Amino acid sequence: MDAKAVLKAYYGYDSFKPGQEHIIEAILQGQDVLAIMPTGAGKSVCYQVPAMLLSGITIVISPLISLMQDQVSALNDIGIQAGYINSALTDSQIRQVYAKAIDGLYKIIYVAPERLESYDFIEFVNKIDISMITIDEAHCISQWGQDFRPSYLKIVDFIDSLSKRPIVSAFTATATEEVKNDISCVLKLQSPKLVTTGFDRENLYFDVQVIKKKNDYILNYINKHPEESGIIYCATRKNVDAVYEMLVNQGIPAARYHAGMSNEDRKTSQNDFIYDKCPVIVATNAFGMGIDKSNVRFVIHYNMPQSMENYYQEAGRAGRDGEPSQCILLFSNQDVMINRFLLEKKENFEVSLEDAELIRQRDMRRLQLMEGYCTTSGCLRNYILEYFGEKKTEPCDSCGNCHREFTEIDMTAEAKQVINCVYETRGRYGLNILLGTLIGANRARLKELGVTNYKTYGVLNHHSETELRLLVNQLIADGYLTQTAEKYSVIRMGDISSLRNPKTRIIVKTYKDRELDSKKSSRSRKGTDSLTKAGFELFDILRNLRVNIAREEGLPPYIVFSDKSLIDMSAKCPHDKVSMLNVSGVGEAKYEKYGSRFLDAIATFINEHPDEVTSIMDDNDTVDTTISGERERKPKKVPFYLNPEDACNFEYKDLYLVTEIKEELNRITSVENVKQIYGTDIFRFLAQAGYVEEKKIDGRNIQTQTSLGIEKGIVTTEKISKNGNPYNVLLYPKVIQKEIVEHYATLIESNM
Ligand code: ADP
Ligand code: MG
């Protein structure tokens, strides 16, 4: 097998994403690699695919227990044997992993960095052939980064201690120059292949909403996007609790997460979210590290974060699966004050006073640039990309600002008043006092400072604070004013010489929201939007099936299938193994495990909506075509039935599962052009007969027998899923089997 074949067979993907192929090639040629790719770019594939092709074992060093478990579940689910070793396992479980690895059962083992020093582990690695060491989240090695992990520094000693140096590959999403150098030097990478793909996340739609009624906005948003999974980030625990209660009171299944909760409660919340029991979570920034949930459709910031780094990292948790997702920041003027207050209160331990001051200035500068993002009238995506050092010129046409109509107003006269005010107050005050003075706000604090006596107090009282804020930000951006980065940031005079020229104009852009132009927003019209109404109905059905399977298996739903796969499935409506394997994200192992249940569900849907479904398929060009490209005209199929003489071929057994009955029926029918029968058809028949029913318990559909069904001898039996979780199935006795066969053998008249 080559890399591409591995990608198709295991992961079910047809082609590599940008950068992946280069990285894999380099690794397979024995070269070290340092890859900097944004979240969702598909870094895991870059080391997992070569791990499958290299002769020995790949050891992946990963910082968080939850990340490891998630990755290993995902690997096992696509049929790649992998294990992990961390402190969540007992000694005997760890010994088991060692033994299996020594027996050659694993290609990939995940370990926490602390483990590298343990005597057991060193003894273990001497017994195996290590082809590659992969360092995931490699920025943890740098003291410059936000997530510095001292134990990452031990990796290099570990590599040095090995008798044969394996290939070393390092991956991260965050890499300023400093961090990049740190990774390369500290890890002693040997002429590594450096691969950097852009920071842009095309599938994310960015927007900033300047509003006061944030709760209304959130409720409205969630009601318009039912069942979508999303994160709402708040600045404080208090906000988290308030928003959480507001949602729960409105009957929205939400979870919450902040550092003030007990470990246990946080874990429950996290799991409720990951397993889609509560699709929405309200959280502080304590939440997110170690969450690889791929189907997060929106990230709403209830408050402005403290820096663009924070914002992009948090917002970036949306849309890992590459499907369109929204990142919305709700901005109000108060956010700036809250953040300043938080920064001022922040204590920097273990640093000298001078350093503390430097750090504070840096933080203040970051906050100002964050505010710039919230008030800019330019393309939001470009603002982000430029912040991270990428040059973009064309507006993206896929962010709130690109979809907004801006009006330009000449505020030259107002600008002069603002400058007078700064002059009059001798640059002693910050933005909020300045704005309060200009609009003549009636605030005790202003009186206390004595600014109410200034000539400029209230000169711009016919303007709103928001409007003036835009103006001041514009003046700062143009250099007429400057904003200091000290503890109490104040606004001072900048270079105003050009303002003396009567021709100079100060133009401020304000906007009103414009309806999305459906042609222009083509870039964001993918995902479920690309489905027809029937396609969306099918997507919903498949999503429910995914939740049921996930609960049986004890896996997060997105590990069973990603949203992307389900959308593709709803568009392509596969009808057999070959067409199912054509769906993005469906590989051999997944097909074996879940293929038939999804095929069943799709076929049932098609049976029930024959007309609408043709339109789903027409839209997507996925109707069977012959080699010449013409549509194959298949004779119309008739609903399932048996010829009376078929009935005697049914092999009765004491007890059958419904799927076994289904297979028997499909096997024995001699009718030509008959549609297949599905488990759900049989279940429906049995429900009509009053033997079984479907109940919703804990949000999950459970099938049980009625008392009449019990009388007839239908029994429940517990099965254990692959992951050791129990679930119930119904078994049907011979009498019922006979009734079913008779039913279908006498159907001819009624159905034709
Ligand atoms: P990262 O670690 O870079 O944030 P992941 O490795 O978690 O990203 O991958 C993000 C998503 O992209 C996953 O759902 C993964 O299955 C998917 N993916 C990876 N490679 C491909 C590919 N070649 N084609 C389609 N999807 C891919
Ligand atoms: Mg990753």
Side-chain angles (χ1 to χ4, degrees), residues 43-44 71 136-137 292 320:
K43 292 186 281 293
S44 316
Q71 297 257 353
D136 202 6
E137 313 290 344
D292 257 359
R320 265 175 182 272

Side-chain angles (χ1 to χ4, degrees), residues 7 13 15-17 20 37-45 71 292 294 320-321 562 564 584:
L7 187 74
Y13 298 135
S15 57
F16 286 109
K17 290 200 192 188
Q20 287 181 330
M37 299 158 83
T39 308
K43 292 186 281 293
S44 316
V45 158
Q71 297 257 353
D292 257 359
S294 74
R320 265 175 182 272
D321 53 10
S562 68
K564 191 189 174 80
S584 170

